[in-house]
Amino acid sequence: SNNEYWLERDAMLRSDFHITSGFQKDEIEMFRHKSNMKKYYEAAGIPVARYHLVDDWDGCMQFIEEVGYPLCTKPDNGVGASDTHKIENQQDLEYFFATKDPDILYIMEEFINGVVDSYDAIVDSNGDPIFESGTVSPISIMDIVNNNDNAAYHVTSEIPDDLKAAGRATVRSFGVKNRFVHFEFFRLNSDQHIGKAGDVVALEVNMRPCGGITPDMMNYAGNTNVYKIYADMIAYDSSLQPKVRNGYCAFAGRR
């Protein structure tokens, strides 16, 4: 799950063999490109960061005049904070233009000051979650990658009501069925253009399980088995696998 090359192949196989239980190849663009995700978040009533698809210097400067520094730049079709940068001033912007890959389309967004909360769910054929969990990441993946920071995050014992509502609304907006998903949101640290401190706003969707060892952390926190729940969902469209407890599981990694 740490890269997503297989999502296109998954959709292509479904289309080629007329498997209609999941996303088809003509639908995958809505969640592979960050700019395309925004309209589905907005349709769900969830605020999104203002953005600009990087074209030329003048176009970017016009956007910066609207939103100001700092900014984030990243590939519009990317994963795992790869090639993601914080632009704090014109010198950073000049460096970005001098070093960016000319073959990649980048998205430039206003910087959001917040903690990353995730909504994770296994969704049945009716678009209803049969398992829900979530994580809190006080250190952003962008900072971990770019600053060689240590990593720390945890699986929550309870999903806050506003995050659960946002996650379920996003499931409906994207028309998710028969899938394990990992949706990311910011919980704002302060009042900003996008919302008030404590509000939940959009970051991005991942139509796959959370990466690394996080599924096992969810198993430990809930004394459950997300792999069996997913298999049951595929085979029976339901699961009797219990979530025995609402516990925490934390991860800390040193460089």
Side-chain angles (χ1 to χ4, degrees):
S1 293
N2 290 326
N3 57 53
E4 298 178 352
Y5 70 91
W6 51 270
L7 286 174
E8 286 94 345
R9 296 181 186 178
D10 175 80
M12 188 175 296
L13 286 169
R14 289 179 184 276
S15 297
D16 289 348
F17 290 94
H18 195 58
I19 301 170
T20 59
S21 58
F23 291 112
Q24 306 297 298
K25 62 184 178 183
D26 61 345
E27 298 174 311
I28 197 169
E29 292 303 314
M30 69 178 174
F31 60 82
R32 289 296 287 140
H33 290 81
K34 301 180 193 308
S35 56
N36 288 342
M37 297 175 189
K38 291 180 181 290
K39 62 184 177 183
Y40 294 94
Y41 269 126
E42 289 178 313
I46 302 165
V48 301
R50 292 171 290 179
Y51 76 98
H52 173 72
L53 291 176
V54 173
D55 44 11
D56 56 22
W57 178 269
D58 290 340
C60 290
M61 288 305 300
Q62 185 175 352
F63 176 67
I64 292 169
E65 288 176 6
E66 175 189 353
V67 304
Y69 292 107
L71 307 157
C72 280
T73 60
K74 62 187 83 170
D76 194 34
N77 182 1
V79 63
S82 175
D83 202 7
T84 298
H85 306 281
K86 185 177 181 181
I87 308 295
E88 300 197 62
N89 49 50
Q90 186 166 324
Q91 183 178 356
D92 288 347
L93 185 66
E94 291 171 351
Y95 181 80
F96 166 71
F97 266 92
T99 59
K100 71 181 181 68
D101 189 329
D103 296 323
I104 291 178
L105 175 63
Y106 290 85
I107 185 172
M108 176 179 286
E109 296 177 300
E110 63 179 319
F111 181 78
I112 303 299
N113 177 15
V115 171
V116 177
D117 288 359
S118 77
Y119 170 84
D120 300 83
I122 298 173
V123 182
D124 68 14
S125 66
N126 297 311
D128 296 321
I130 63 172
F131 171 84
E132 294 173 300
S133 185
T135 65
V136 177
S137 302
I139 305 173
S140 75
I141 299 296
M142 180 180 71
D143 289 338
I144 293 169
V145 171
N146 291 335
N147 302 335
N148 289 322
D149 280 350
N150 299 323
Y153 70 100
H154 67 269
V155 173
T156 61
S157 63
E158 296 281 356
I159 307 173
D161 289 341
D162 56 354
L163 180 62
K164 184 180 292 186
R168 290 179 176 181
T170 305
V171 167
R172 292 191 296 271
S173 183
F174 278 88
V176 178
K177 296 178 181 179
N178 299 105
R179 213 158 188 99
F180 199 151
V181 297
H182 173 68
F183 296 162
E184 295 176 346
F185 301 86
F186 284 115
R187 187 173 295 279
L188 300 182
N189 287 329
S190 60
D191 293 353
Q192 297 162 62
H193 178 273
I194 197 172
K196 300 293 186 182
D199 285 353
V200 171
V201 303
L203 176 50
E204 65 182 46
V205 299
N206 298 278
M207 298 296 179
R208 54 160 176 82
C210 40
I213 63 171
T214 314
D216 295 299
M217 292 170 61
M218 291 177 178
N219 286 343
Y220 184 84
N223 194 17
T224 189
N225 187 335
V226 297
Y227 306 106
K228 185 177 189 308
I229 295 171
Y230 179 80
D232 286 348
M233 180 273 292
I234 293 296
Y236 311 118
D237 206 26
S238 63
S239 180
L240 297 178
Q241 175 69 32
K243 184 177 180 182
V244 177
R245 66 178 177 227
N246 291 322
Y248 292 90
C249 185
F251 171 88
R254 295 184 62 186
R255 286 285 183 176

